[in-house]
Amino acid sequence: MKKRYLTAALLAAAITSFGQQTTPYVKKRIARTDVQALFSFYTQDNDHSAVTGGQGTEDLQVYTSQVSIDVNKDSINTFHLDGGVDVISSASTDRIDFEMSSASKVDARSHARIGYNRLLSAQRMNVGATASFSIESDYLSIGGGLSWNYTNPSRQREVSLAVQAYFDDLRWGRLENGHPQKLVYPEELRYKNWFDEYRRNSINIEAGFLQTINRRMTLGIYPGITYQQGLLSTPFHRIYFTDGSKGIEKLPGGRLKIPVGLQLNTFLGNRWVLRTSYRYFYDDFGIVAHALNVESAVKISRVFTITPFVRLYTQQGADYFRAYNKHDVSERYYTSDYDLSPFESIKPGVGIRYAPFTRGKAITFNDIEMRYALYHRTDGMLAHMITVFFNYTVEREKTHPLSER
């Protein structure tokens, strides 16, 4: 009797198997869309404004909102779109014409970027292209880029290369009059055109090498090179000379930057990840800088993660920097912008992440994260940053009837 049942079962399985070769079936694919939103507030104050020659208020507030969307239709083709607006309130920029509450007091920057990536699965390669656009009252920037990365069959090594180019027009007037007019100089120095050039072009090349050392550790190396050409001076930055005269910041027309980054991620347990990175920076203005970042993600429950972090930075200043009223008129290049001065800075902070992965019929709420950071620089700069980040996923099933396999 048992043999009879077994024979019948095998016969039924054979018939079913045979039928699958000729009967159409439905294959399901998931179209996935990741939606991310970011909101942040930044405020700073100091007394070294480059607009007034290295002396004067640097009071500044920036309100940022940004949305990023990634659409993955079939796990091979991914489309990317992001855009945002920064609203900037700057007392220092307001001093261009010494008139408080002028039009330059509040400014806005709008930006957008679109991109496309394609996975070449057979070769384990991913290629992509991007185009970007950014506009503010004193500049228009148009950019584009290409990227490539390769992951080896064991998925323990990844190599990448990215190239971006940006083309900037630094004339003022697009937001006020609808078309560019001219470079804006400080009010009392508008008796002549200080620069014939109003364009700035930049090209960035960045390589990456990511290696999995063991089950708990990954190491990344990221060398790069950037070259800028054109108007690298800021036309509304004043210079005060030792003889009592005034002028406009003047910098070389070319700048070469060479950054190199190292990143080591260590998984110390199921609840603790340590991320450390170091970055070396050199440019031919004379700046040499070192930055160290340490961040630790500690999972305190199933849905909450605390992330304390700190960034230490030291910089050797540019050859062309002098403080207020310290430049000699015989110098070829000069700036009193304290971003180019020698300084050290520290940025400690903490983040908290809530990740319930709440799944609905089509929308999954992945996580929300809030971060706070305090920034202090040895020249007296003090800043606060608050950032809130939301992450959602939208999934939609796509069915495809197929005939014979």
Side-chain angles (χ1 to χ4, degrees), residues 7 11 19 40 43 50 102-103 110 126-127 152 161 187 235 269-270 286 292 323 332 345 390 400:
T7 303
L11 181 60
S40 70
T43 181
S102 64
S110 301
N126 194 307
V127 295
N152 73 337
L161 181 66
E187 184 182 42
N270 295 332
L292 175 65
R332 184 178 181 185
S345 69
F390 299 88
H400 298 270

Side-chain angles (χ1 to χ4, degrees), residues 40-44 60-63 375 381 383-386:
S40 70
F41 171 71
Y42 172 88
T43 181
Q44 72 171 40
L60 172 73
Q61 290 79 41
V62 182
Y63 303 85
Y375 177 77
M381 171 80 74
H384 303 270
M385 289 154 276
I386 298 176

